[in-house]
Amino acid sequence: MKRQNPALSTRSICLALAGLSLALHLLLAFFCLSVLQNVCVLPTSSSSSSSSIPRADTHPSASSHEAAPTPQDENRGGMSHREDKETEKKLTGAGGVNQRTHSKLDALFKHLLYNLPPATVLQEDDWLLRLKRDEEPRDTESKEEERESTVTDDSQWQSASQDKGYDKDIWTSNTETHPPWLQFHLGISRWQLYDRKDPSLAQLTHYMATQRILGAVQKAGGTQLKLLISFPNYGQALLKPIRQSRDAETDVNLYYFSDFERHNAEIAAFHLDRVLGFNRIPPVVGRLINITTEIREITTDQRLSRTFFTSPAGNICFYGQCEYYCSTEHPVCGQPHMLEVSLAAMLPDLSLAPRRSWRSPWRRSYSRTKLAQWEKDPSFCDRVKQTSPYSAGSRLLDLIDLVVLDFLMSNMDRHHYETFEKFGNETFLLHLDNGRAFGRHSQDEPSILAPLQQCCRMRRSTYLRLHLLSRPDLRLSDVMRESLAQDPLSDVAPLLSEPHLAALDRRLAAVLQAVRTCQERRSDVIYDDLKGFDPD
């Protein structure tokens, strides 16, 4: 017999064992991967487009809105206390929100009251701005003059974009080519400044919070320091710097017109206005900027540049030029270069969309010794109702909405409000300039509620949303805390301290109590702007 080679036998055994080992390792690896796929799936994010900071719709889609009542509707729009209680249970009771929802903000914005069908379809004239179509008639100028002016305008635009560092993007009628600020402007309608559900408003706030600052000049007008910021895509924002810590309360001895404006108040006011369902404050976002590289080195404003200095502590400071608090005694300082600011999206230029400023009937006297007429006459509202524009339409109801917002954030400095001229008296009020809000959390200012207490009128939709926010599962303070946590500056510190958040709940209860007091005296307190809407 032939003897077997021992070396070949050993080698065969080793190869067989190696192959078996490799097969076992591969089986084990496949088993582990299958287990990990089933167990380690990332949970779906609780935030949605409905809870993110929104954007305004462009013209092709209609926004949800509340139709303005006619004079006849306003006069017969009262609801009895009993009817109001019954419908309130339907709209704010069971079936509206799942109490186990992880995000209270998501739950709020999914509620029926925040998803009401539009009362009417928006028409062409209900949009503030619209894109010019090719088929629209051109200006009555000669073809030669038109061609010459077009060439001149185009060459100037291209030169400016190259010289100043603006983006070279070409905008067309296609909405996908529009920068976020232009989409915001095109989404302004007769009834609201933006549509909360439109996701590209988040693009606008993200852009303001992150993109390169191209220019910074002091904005004219107003009493305190603010800057006009320019971005490479031709967008602009209004900057207000931090002037005091978030926890600092206004001195009780200061008058309402003598306080600093707060950057965090502007941010919080935007979020509160959105939570209340008004959508009348332009988008505002917080940002940390470098005073040296993002203001001092790029500004072309000589008045501003002359006010920069280095403090004894080594911080870079400036104070600008304005009526109040623009001096070396009240500087704006970085730490040493970084500065917290609020950035508010600018509204369309006045040459494109003129606005009208209205003096509030309940404006304070701005005197240290005199009282305004409404402070001395409890029946003052009767006279207001007889004067235009409060004698017809929705203006008084719009003003009451603004009063509720101001009381919740303790803003006593509402001397004027604005509207877009194009829409006349049938439109919403712009809730601008909220820097003096959230000054004191330890006390409330009941005089802000004077228009509500004297006129005893409120929209049903507003009333029901306030009730909704008073529920424990959708508490206003909790929803605001969650909403403000979306802002970039919340990573530095909460934008509203816990005492300020607690004050929101306390003041909300006071507003609802004021409505109940009115209902004890009158039967037409609640104006039914939800006519024909069946919550079931």
Side-chain angles (χ1 to χ4, degrees), residues 72-215:
Q72 294 78 14
D73 288 340
E74 215 283 340
N75 290 333
R76 67 170 182 261
M79 293 180 63
S80 68
H81 192 24
R82 181 181 300 173
E83 290 174 335
D84 174 68
K85 284 293 182 184
E86 292 175 355
T87 54
E88 172 195 333
K89 291 179 180 178
K90 291 182 179 180
L91 281 174
T92 62
V97 174
N98 183 353
Q99 296 189 11
R100 295 183 180 179
T101 304
H102 177 68
S103 167
K104 289 189 177 183
L105 188 63
D106 282 350
L108 179 73
F109 286 151
K110 289 176 182 176
H111 192 275
L112 196 61
L113 285 168
Y114 288 81
N115 296 277
L116 297 172
T120 59
V121 177
L122 291 178
Q123 304 300 317
E124 188 72 13
D125 289 341
D126 290 330
W127 297 104
L128 180 65
L129 301 173
R130 62 191 180 96
L131 295 174
K132 190 173 183 179
R133 298 187 179 90
D134 293 337
E135 64 269 16
E136 291 182 2
R138 299 178 182 271
D139 296 335
T140 57
E141 60 178 350
S142 68
K143 293 182 179 180
E144 183 178 351
E145 290 175 341
E146 184 176 356
R147 181 183 61 81
E148 182 179 351
S149 63
T150 302
V151 171
T152 303
D153 291 344
D154 286 346
S155 61
Q156 288 176 349
W157 183 86
Q158 291 172 1
S159 174
S161 65
Q162 292 170 359
D163 293 344
K164 298 182 181 180
Y166 286 95
D167 290 343
K168 299 179 182 179
D169 295 337
I170 298 175
W171 307 337
T172 68
S173 58
N174 185 356
T175 57
E176 294 180 358
T177 67
H178 299 162
W181 64 264
L182 181 56
Q183 295 189 44
F184 165 54
H185 288 177
L186 291 173
I188 300 173
S189 72
R190 180 183 294 273
W191 305 118
Q192 60 184 4
L193 198 57
Y194 61 84
D195 180 4
R196 173 184 53 80
K197 296 180 183 178
D198 198 330
S200 68
L201 199 60
Q203 299 173 14
L204 174 60
T205 53
H206 178 72
Y207 194 96
M208 291 192 296
T210 59
Q211 290 302 305
R212 179 169 58 97
I213 294 177
L214 198 61

Side-chain angles (χ1 to χ4, degrees), residues 236-468:
Q236 292 184 318
L238 186 66
L239 180 152
K240 290 190 178 181
I242 183 174
R243 302 303 299 258
Q244 54 191 331
S245 68
R246 292 166 171 73
D247 297 327
E249 269 203 288
T250 301
D251 191 314
V252 294
N253 294 312
L254 280 181
Y255 287 93
Y256 47 87
F257 51 83
S258 302
D259 192 17
F260 280 122
E261 291 187 351
R262 293 170 173 77
H263 73 304
N264 62 311
E266 293 285 359
I267 302 169
F270 164 62
H271 285 262
L272 179 59
D273 182 81
R274 187 171 67 110
V275 163
L276 293 174
F278 295 150
N279 304 337
R280 299 166 193 168
I281 293 180
V284 186
V285 69
R287 176 168 176 167
L288 274 175
I289 67 168
N290 187 304
I291 292 181
T292 302
T293 61
E294 295 182 298
I295 298 181
R296 184 175 187 174
E297 293 179 356
I298 64 173
T299 185
T300 57
D301 189 338
Q302 295 299 317
R303 297 181 309 157
L304 178 64
S305 62
R306 286 195 293 264
T307 66
F308 281 88
F309 64 94
T310 302
S311 73
N315 296 323
I316 306 301
C317 307
F318 68 101
Y319 52 88
Q321 296 182 14
C322 61
E323 189 172 343
Y324 296 113
Y325 306 121
C326 284
S327 64
T328 53
E329 290 81 15
H330 304 96
V332 174
C333 295
Q335 296 183 353
H337 298 275
M338 303 309 293
L339 178 72
E340 283 188 31
V341 300
S342 67
L343 293 173
M346 296 294 290
L347 294 172
D349 190 87
L350 293 175
S351 62
L352 297 174
R355 301 193 300 271
R356 179 171 178 179
S357 179
W358 302 80
R359 178 169 174 162
S360 171
W362 282 270
R363 179 182 185 271
R364 298 180 184 275
S365 66
Y366 286 83
S367 168
R368 295 175 177 83
T369 57
K370 296 180 181 179
L371 295 176
Q373 187 61 34
W374 60 268
E375 294 179 282
K376 298 181 289 184
D377 182 7
S379 61
F380 179 77
C381 185
D382 294 336
R383 292 194 306 175
V384 173
K385 288 180 180 178
Q386 298 173 3
T387 60
S388 180
Y390 306 97
S391 56
S394 63
R395 183 59 60 87
L396 185 60
L397 296 167
D398 290 327
L399 188 61
I400 297 299
D401 285 347
L402 182 54
V403 165
V404 170
L405 174 72
D406 282 337
F407 178 74
L408 291 175
M409 59 187 186
S410 194
N411 178 25
M412 302 172 66
D413 192 35
R414 188 71 66 187
H415 43 83
H416 288 78
Y417 60 84
E418 295 184 23
T419 59
F420 289 109
E421 281 190 3
K422 176 181 178 179
F423 301 133
N425 293 335
E426 298 302 321
T427 186
F428 66 94
L429 311 185
L430 290 163
H431 299 172
L432 305 177
D433 197 7
N434 305 288
R436 284 203 173 106
F438 296 104
R440 296 175 188 160
H441 55 71
S442 58
Q443 67 180 66
D444 305 333
E445 184 50 56
S447 64
I448 301 176
L449 283 181
L452 172 60
Q453 295 167 333
Q454 294 177 358
C455 299
C456 281
R457 290 294 271 168
M458 179 179 284
R459 277 190 175 93
R460 181 186 174 207
S461 58
T462 300
Y463 178 64
L464 293 177
R465 286 196 297 266
L466 294 177
H467 261 288
L468 192 66

